[in-house]
Amino acid sequence: MIKVSPSILASDFSRLGEEAVSCAAAGADMLHIDVMDGHFVPNITLGAPIVKSLRKCSDIIFDVHLMISAPYKYIPDFISAGADIITFHIESDSDTEKTVDLIKSLGKKAGIALKPATPAEAVFPYLGKLDMVLVMTVEPGFGGQSFMEEQTLKIAKVRKECERLGLSTDIQVDGGITDTTAPLVKEAGANVLVAGSFVFKGDKKTAVESLKRPH
């Protein structure tokens, strides 16, 4: 089943609560919350207090993507704030396995994200513990970048390894996802699509439905 996770990075931050509610009403399965620290990536977005405030507005699944240098340190904060799924970067400074174990020990779903230059094989040792793998199809840090089609090969490698291990792990894709690029990533094996401007620039329901359409 294809799931859609609109990225609030492209939303109107002055109406964040309303945007979350409207995404849920449009049929989105979760809300993608990009957390950037100005260190791991050049941009700075938001922290746990904003996630906590947003949690009061909607019960949609919070899909929190930590683009930060020390995710392990902040896992409890984001879980307390209302995160349901926490994805962090394998390229971060935190110990990967310990970070996954912490998320799981606190009763939440864990994901690992891969930058474009990181090979698919980097995540293979952890697949048995993961609920999701996020393949970035742009460089993390800013919205509105162009889709990197070559990353579909990485998606296919991760999906093939999951199938070999008998795992039904979600494979999420983030970066440049539209109704044009969605069929490419779905064909490669992705089933969770993050979309920012494509969802927020027009009618959300129409956009979500077009992303879920069978390829």
Side-chain angles (χ1 to χ4, degrees), residues 7-67:
S7 171
I8 64 166
L9 195 61
S11 72
D12 178 352
F13 270 47
S14 71
R15 300 172 52 249
L16 206 47
E18 295 169 49
E19 294 277 50
V21 170
S22 64
C23 283
D29 302 278
M30 52 187 83
L31 197 66
H32 192 78
I33 301 172
D34 287 307
V35 177
M36 307 180 193
D37 63 358
H39 185 260
F40 183 75
V41 292
N43 204 0
I44 296 175
T45 51
L46 50 83
I50 291 178
V51 176
K52 186 176 182 179
S53 295
L54 194 57
R55 181 81 282 176
K56 298 172 187 175
C57 303
S58 175
D59 61 1
I60 192 170
I61 292 169
F62 278 9
D63 163 30
V64 177
H65 176 193
L66 299 180
M67 287 175 265

Side-chain angles (χ1 to χ4, degrees), residues 123-137:
V123 78
F124 288 2
Y126 311 102
L127 287 176
K129 292 185 173 185
L130 296 179
D131 299 283
M132 188 162 72
V133 175
L134 167 54
V135 176
M136 295 294 298
T137 43

